Amino acid sequence: MEFTPAKLNLFSFFKLPAAFWSGVRVRSISNTSCEVTVKHRWFNQNPFQSMYFAVQAMAAEMTTGVLVMLHIKASGKNVSMLVAQNKSVFTKKATGRITFVCSQGDAIKEAINEAIASKEGKTIWLTSIGKNANGEQVSEMQFEWTLKVRS
């Protein structure tokens, strides 16, 4: 699969329907960063009139996971990936359009190369920051990804 926002959003329609119907969309991707947006709506709200935490987690995880997938494909190796842990901090009510960004593409590439060279599992913590339209941080999410070359 080619890694473009349109192709990734189509992928989410078929493989991640909960994220797609909640409004999670990839806006941009490069070797170093990924940007995903989601808009607060009736469908993805909690009883407190803000975005449900799991919707934020889907968008944040997508920023990290798409970057991992991009670098695995670039490596040409068969590498498995799985989230082992996650941590979240919510600092402001999430309303309006929230943009999540992960800018750790270089660290991901290095971790994948280490896993390939050592032929052992490797873990990496990746961070995604969510900000509202005013540029105010609403949440910070961290995901521990495990990477292992399949034989």
Side-chain angles (χ1 to χ4, degrees):
M1 177 178 77
E2 188 179 346
F3 284 84
T4 65
K7 296 263 182 171
L8 290 164
N9 292 329
L10 186 63
F11 172 82
S12 73
F13 177 78
F14 289 106
K15 299 294 183 178
L16 305 166
F20 183 85
W21 292 113
S22 294
V24 175
R25 299 292 185 272
V26 176
R27 290 293 174 219
S28 67
I29 182 166
S30 70
N31 285 332
T32 56
S33 69
C34 181
E35 182 179 297
V36 171
T37 64
V38 61
K39 186 175 180 182
H40 171 241
R41 296 186 260 185
W42 172 85
F43 188 76
N44 62 22
Q45 73 178 348
N46 61 28
F48 310 107
Q49 311 307 308
S50 65
M51 192 178 301
Y52 184 55
F53 81 93
V55 175
Q56 293 183 64
M58 285 189 287
E61 182 187 1
M62 189 172 284
T63 65
T64 63
V66 164
L67 278 175
V68 172
M69 289 168 49
L70 176 75
H71 286 287
I72 287 173
K73 182 178 180 185
S75 76
K77 300 292 184 185
N78 188 1
V79 179
S80 68
M81 56 186 276
L82 183 68
V83 171
Q85 298 183 63
N86 71 308
K87 301 176 194 175
S88 304
V89 176
F90 302 94
T91 51
K92 187 168 180 60
K93 201 171 187 175
T95 57
R97 184 169 303 280
I98 308 301
T99 302
F100 289 89
V101 176
C102 176
S103 300
Q104 293 176 271
D106 293 335
I108 295 167
K109 182 178 179 179
E110 185 178 319
I112 290 170
N113 288 338
E114 288 175 16
I116 292 168
S118 69
K119 295 189 177 22
E120 294 182 9
K122 175 81 178 154
T123 64
I124 182 171
W125 278 95
L126 301 175
T127 301
S128 184
I129 305 289
K131 294 183 179 179
N132 63 19
N134 296 329
E136 302 165 313
Q137 183 173 319
V138 298
S139 59
E140 177 179 319
M141 304 207 181
Q142 298 177 329
F143 300 90
E144 181 187 32
W145 284 94
T146 60
L147 306 166
K148 187 172 183 180
V149 178
R150 294 182 183 141
S151 48

